[in-house]
Amino acid sequence: MNYFVSRPDCSHHEIFPGVHIFTTAGNQMMLSLVEFEPRAVVQPHSHPHEQMGMLLEGELTFTIGGQTRTLQPGEMWRIPSGIIHSAVAGDKSVKALDVFHPIREDYR
């Protein structure tokens, strides 16, 4: 097993128009770098996976379980299994990290 992962080694998906994820997985969790183009939207959805994340760059308006907040770099979120959530990028590009447990097989 290679213990270091470079971007070309990651799985890449465009999950919504203008929203790209680059993922790597261990045995029980998945790490995802999420990149939003300006004003890109993650439509409301839910999944059985627990999700936690941190905003690295830009501004992101996040709605989780009916609560909406505009986040700045360094702020974090936690989303329990089954909770509806969505996000909208601000006027500049956004980068964020997400961690999923269990692994999202659809993002491998």
Side-chain angles (χ1 to χ4, degrees):
M1 171 185 246
N2 187 353
Y3 296 107
F4 301 96
V5 181
S6 298
R7 187 176 176 126
D9 301 324
C10 291
S11 178
H12 170 241
H13 300 274
E14 185 172 18
I15 57 172
F16 291 94
V19 182
H20 297 263
I21 62 167
F22 301 86
T23 63
T24 188
N27 292 324
Q28 298 184 35
M29 72 176 82
M30 174 173 274
L31 179 64
S32 174
L33 173 64
V34 187
E35 296 181 346
F36 290 71
E37 294 174 8
R39 294 172 295 289
V41 177
V42 169
Q43 295 294 329
H45 67 286
S46 67
H47 42 73
H49 312 83
E50 184 176 13
Q51 177 180 347
M52 299 181 84
M54 175 187 279
L55 187 62
L56 302 176
E57 295 178 12
E59 183 178 276
L60 188 64
T61 300
F62 222 133
T63 300
I64 304 169
Q67 298 177 23
T68 300
R69 185 170 180 180
T70 299
L71 303 173
Q72 302 299 320
E75 291 188 281
M76 295 177 266
W77 53 89
R78 53 185 172 207
I79 307 169
S81 172
I83 299 297
I84 295 174
H85 54 285
S86 61
V88 179
D91 293 335
K92 296 181 181 175
S93 297
V94 168
K95 286 188 182 179
L97 289 178
D98 272 323
V99 176
F100 294 97
H101 176 78
I103 294 167
R104 290 195 61 156
E105 294 297 333
D106 54 333
Y107 287 174
R108 270 200 194 259

